Amino acid sequence: MSHITNLTIKNYRGIKELNHDFGDEKFIVLIGRGDSGKSTILSAINAALSPSWNMSFSDLDFYNQKTEHPIEIELTIKELPKEFLKESKYGLFVQNDLGEDGNLDDLTIVIKLTVDETLEPHWVVKSRDGSDIEDKPISGADRALLAVNFITDYTDNQFAYNRQSPLYALTKAKLEDGKTIERVKSDLIRTMAESITNKDLDEFSAPFESLIITAEKLGLSTSDLCAQIDIKDNPYTGNSIALHDNSLPYRLHGKGSKRLMSIAIQSELTKQGGIVLVDELEQGLEPDRITTLVRILKHVDKGQVFITTHSLNVVLEAEWHNIFVKNKDANTLSVLNPEMEGFRRSNPQAFFAKKIICCEGKTEQGFIRAIDSWIYSKYNTSLSAKGVVIVNAGGGNKMFTYARNLKELGYDTCVFADDDKPKELKEEKQASNEVGVKLLLCETGNSLERQIILDLPWNFISTIVNCSQEDFPNDNINLDNDFLEEIKVAREIIEQNKIRNTIIELAIKKNKEWFKHIPGGEFLGSVFSEAYNDMGDNKNLKINVKSLLKWCSIEI
């Protein structure tokens, strides 16, 4: 039932230094941009706990290839195998004393992997702080008791019965006392010259009954799961006996099926306390299978599961406390909080962005979408190309609250919103500004609709009125013909301003929905884009859009 409570990484691949305390979390979802170091975390855990005695390292495994700074990976492990607690093993190396309840599961040890410029790995169990006992080497056989398994694109060996395969561990646990897999294999090999029958392989199928149930829960159909001789390898190796389905070696199945079966095996292993590492959980899997898989994994109560993902389905299906954000060069992971639950479920795409524009509502979201289309057609770039995501925060003060929380998680954020309630939101704006959230707001007292009608050159006002009447008849804004004629013939500034105010009153009138939707915002944004070059540089909306695009690293 072992699990990792704390992780420290130094000078390993793209991570200079990282430390994080996971507490008793059993299902850990690592998210973040590409090259932020998510997969490196899994590789580090695997390296520190791998049972392999000949794991190889190169200069490329050192941070910035600086071999003068050794790789150091430390894992604090809780709920230890009973063998570890013997004094002849690591009983003298536990890092904390038993509490009043005497629960052995509260005891921890620290396993440390060090690799210096000789490229030779050294695994030890660290002595207690202040102890005069030296760190004690830990063998591959002892590390194997922690049952770590790393699922990547190269999982074929997990379907064979070699010592590093999870099938080996599952089967070993199911065998009768005193019987070993090596003995079963030796007996089998001795009879191979005479004949091989299914009965000879029955004992390798011991875990299949529960494995089939788990696989079917994941949506994987298994018509005839069995262990057979795989003719690919030398019959005297552990790879010669492998998992088959309907006489076909499982290594020859499709990528998605192999991944699911591999995860099914690992899920069974976690019931015995294994630690499972899955890189890019969603690869080769349909969305419904991803959802089912996460539902199963998040209820792990023994062992532990670490996954990396870029899947919205994973973010939606996991719980908030399962999700940890890895930011490039950050020395710890950022953790979601309950305040982000509504945002996570409505805007899961935001958690994979570099920068996030928090729009107050649908009108603002549609407006920015139109600006995105404009810069793509005119400047051959886009917000998505810059790693920018547009989200609808849902109005009220949510856009400020969400923006601050996202900022704490390591995302660069800005708020694009009205400022028609300056007094009510004064403290929200101040708090957001203090933590570095960029505020792109309308002028004091203005909504976006009011601002654009005030800022547009006069010749574009008739465009808004005429097109909106034709394109958005359901908005219940009816302008009579006399008023439409007034717009056409108005020449004096005073007269034009009077008409602007009338249009504004109609646009923001209670129980009216003029432009209060994404298509309406897109329409306003398209008119603004067309009018951009004719608009005065002192106009609020033009200043905000220029500032927004500069913040997005887009020069116009």
Side-chain angles (χ1 to χ4, degrees), residues 1-248:
M1 297 186 292
S2 302
H3 69 273
I4 298 164
T5 63
N6 186 273
L7 166 69
T8 298
I9 302 173
K10 292 182 180 179
N11 305 312
Y12 183 56
R13 297 184 180 174
I15 297 177
K16 183 177 182 181
E17 186 169 355
L18 176 77
N19 180 276
H20 195 83
D21 193 332
F22 296 103
D24 287 326
E25 193 63 58
K26 298 294 183 68
F27 181 50
I28 294 160
V29 178
L30 298 173
I31 63 174
R33 298 287 292 181
D35 296 326
S36 61
K38 304 183 300 297
S39 298
T40 300
I41 291 174
L42 300 193
S43 295
I45 295 172
N46 183 57
L49 299 183
S50 171
S52 175
W53 59 271
N54 61 346
M55 181 172 285
S56 61
F57 291 85
S58 74
D59 289 2
L60 297 177
D61 289 315
F62 291 77
Y63 182 75
N64 285 343
Q65 293 82 59
K66 294 183 177 179
T67 57
E68 63 270 26
H69 302 299
I71 295 169
E72 296 179 2
I73 302 169
E74 288 188 13
L75 303 177
T76 301
I77 311 291
K78 192 176 182 181
E79 297 182 16
L80 303 168
K82 290 183 179 179
E83 294 91 328
F84 278 27
L85 299 178
K86 295 176 181 178
E87 187 172 326
S88 59
K89 283 291 186 178
Y90 312 109
L92 299 177
F93 294 80
V94 293
Q95 296 292 312
N96 50 325
D97 296 317
L98 287 173
E100 292 182 2
D101 59 358
N103 188 354
L104 294 177
D105 287 343
D106 290 334
L107 298 177
T108 63
I109 63 170
V110 176
I111 295 177
K112 181 177 182 180
L113 165 65
T114 304
V115 185
D116 60 20
E117 57 190 2
T118 66
L119 306 183
E120 289 293 327
H122 298 279
W123 291 270
V124 299
V125 174
K126 291 187 66 176
S127 61
R128 299 178 64 160
D129 292 340
S131 170
D132 57 0
I133 303 175
E134 293 185 354
D135 297 344
K136 182 175 182 178
I138 178 171
S139 67
D142 282 349
R143 297 196 302 274
L145 295 175
L146 298 170
V148 65
N149 279 282
F150 192 5
I151 302 176
T152 66
D153 285 341
Y154 308 99
T155 58
D156 289 1
N157 69 319
Q158 302 201 22
F159 306 128
Y161 287 81
N162 58 68
R163 279 183 173 274
Q164 296 185 27
S165 162
L167 267 181
Y168 181 99
L170 277 178
T171 307
K172 181 180 178 182
K174 296 284 185 178
L175 292 178
E176 298 174 2
D177 290 343
K179 207 164 192 178
T180 66
I181 291 181
E182 285 71 23
R183 179 181 168 185
V184 175
K185 287 195 297 185
S186 297
D187 291 344
L188 175 62
I189 291 171
R190 290 188 184 102
T191 65
M192 283 178 64
E194 299 176 6
S195 64
I196 294 295
T197 66
N198 288 336
K199 187 176 181 180
D200 294 311
L201 294 155
D202 280 350
E203 289 178 292
F204 289 97
S205 303
F208 288 173
E209 182 177 351
S210 58
L211 179 57
I212 288 172
I213 294 173
T214 301
E216 288 178 349
K217 285 181 181 178
L218 299 178
L220 191 61
S221 176
T222 55
S223 59
D224 186 18
L225 209 59
C226 61
Q228 291 185 11
I229 299 297
D230 187 343
I231 61 173
K232 178 190 73 167
D233 287 307
N234 184 316
Y236 290 91
T237 70
N239 288 328
S240 60
I241 303 172
L243 188 66
H244 286 61
D245 185 27
N246 200 23
S247 300
L248 180 69

Side-chain angles (χ1 to χ4, degrees), residues 442-458 461 464 496-504 535-536 539-541:
C442 295
E443 291 175 318
T444 302
N446 284 353
S447 64
L448 179 61
E449 299 93 322
R450 181 184 184 91
Q451 192 70 61
I452 194 169
I453 292 168
L454 289 175
D455 286 358
L456 281 176
W458 178 251
I461 295 297
I464 281 191
Q496 291 176 358
N497 287 342
K498 181 180 178 182
I499 293 173
R500 286 182 197 263
N501 286 328
T502 300
I503 296 172
I504 289 168
M535 193 179 296
K539 297 298 183 182
N540 170 273
L541 206 51

Side-chain angles (χ1 to χ4, degrees), residues 216-315:
E216 288 178 349
K217 285 181 181 178
L218 299 178
L220 191 61
S221 176
T222 55
S223 59
D224 186 18
L225 209 59
C226 61
Q228 291 185 11
I229 299 297
D230 187 343
I231 61 173
K232 178 190 73 167
D233 287 307
N234 184 316
Y236 290 91
T237 70
N239 288 328
S240 60
I241 303 172
L243 188 66
H244 286 61
D245 185 27
N246 200 23
S247 300
L248 180 69
Y250 225 91
R251 63 182 175 82
L252 298 180
H253 280 62
K255 181 177 180 180
S257 295
K258 289 199 295 184
R259 273 218 152 204
L260 276 180
M261 180 54 72
S262 181
I263 292 171
I265 294 170
Q266 307 290 357
S267 298
E268 285 298 301
L269 196 61
T270 60
K271 295 176 182 178
Q272 302 175 19
I275 297 173
V276 178
L277 314 171
V278 189
D279 198 20
E280 300 291 349
L281 177 85
E282 65 276 7
Q283 285 194 20
L285 302 181
E286 296 83 354
D288 57 300
R289 283 181 161 179
I290 296 170
T291 299
T292 301
L293 183 55
V294 175
R295 285 178 181 172
I296 292 172
L297 294 178
K298 73 181 181 182
H299 292 299
V300 167
D301 57 354
K302 296 180 180 179
Q304 194 173 33
V305 178
F306 287 79
I307 70 170
T308 68
T309 188
H310 288 99
S311 169
L312 304 186
N313 300 85
V314 175
V315 171

Side-chain angles (χ1 to χ4, degrees), residues 472-503:
F472 308 112
N474 295 325
D475 284 358
N476 299 320
I477 301 294
N478 298 311
L479 304 178
D480 58 42
N481 292 330
D482 290 340
F483 184 67
L484 294 174
E485 189 61 30
E486 287 181 31
I487 295 174
K488 291 181 183 178
V489 300
R491 295 290 181 269
E492 299 294 328
I493 296 296
I494 295 178
E495 187 179 4
Q496 291 176 358
N497 287 342
K498 181 180 178 182
I499 293 173
R500 286 182 197 263
N501 286 328
T502 300
I503 296 172

Side-chain angles (χ1 to χ4, degrees), residues 362-521:
K362 295 178 180 179
T363 307
E364 291 76 13
Q365 185 180 13
F367 184 88
I368 300 298
R369 283 170 57 90
I371 298 301
D372 193 20
S373 297
W374 171 54
I375 60 175
Y376 180 77
S377 62
K378 190 168 183 179
Y379 300 102
N380 199 32
T381 190
S382 65
L383 297 180
S384 60
K386 300 296 183 178
V388 181
V389 168
I390 312 164
V391 300
N392 176 4
N397 66 350
K398 291 180 181 177
M399 61 275 193
F400 297 109
T401 302
Y402 289 154
R404 291 198 301 272
N405 280 323
L406 289 165
K407 188 73 176 179
E408 289 178 8
L409 288 172
Y411 298 97
D412 206 356
T413 59
C414 82
V415 171
F416 184 77
D418 301 336
D419 196 14
D420 52 354
K421 298 178 181 178
K423 292 183 179 179
E424 294 93 324
L425 297 177
K426 181 180 179 180
E427 292 183 2
E428 291 285 345
K429 290 186 289 185
Q430 182 177 344
S432 301
N433 192 54
E434 287 175 354
V435 298
V437 173
K438 188 173 185 63
L439 304 182
L440 299 172
L441 309 177
C442 295
E443 291 175 318
T444 302
N446 284 353
S447 64
L448 179 61
E449 299 93 322
R450 181 184 184 91
Q451 192 70 61
I452 194 169
I453 292 168
L454 289 175
D455 286 358
L456 281 176
W458 178 251
N459 55 312
F460 287 94
I461 295 297
S462 59
T463 302
I464 281 191
V465 173
N466 292 330
C467 290
S468 62
Q469 289 285 93
E470 297 172 6
D471 296 341
F472 308 112
N474 295 325
D475 284 358
N476 299 320
I477 301 294
N478 298 311
L479 304 178
D480 58 42
N481 292 330
D482 290 340
F483 184 67
L484 294 174
E485 189 61 30
E486 287 181 31
I487 295 174
K488 291 181 183 178
V489 300
R491 295 290 181 269
E492 299 294 328
I493 296 296
I494 295 178
E495 187 179 4
Q496 291 176 358
N497 287 342
K498 181 180 178 182
I499 293 173
R500 286 182 197 263
N501 286 328
T502 300
I503 296 172
I504 289 168
E505 289 176 6
L506 289 169
I508 63 177
K509 191 174 182 180
K510 282 188 176 181
N511 302 320
K512 301 295 182 180
E513 292 295 324
W514 210 8
F515 309 125
K516 293 294 186 182
H517 38 66
I518 290 177

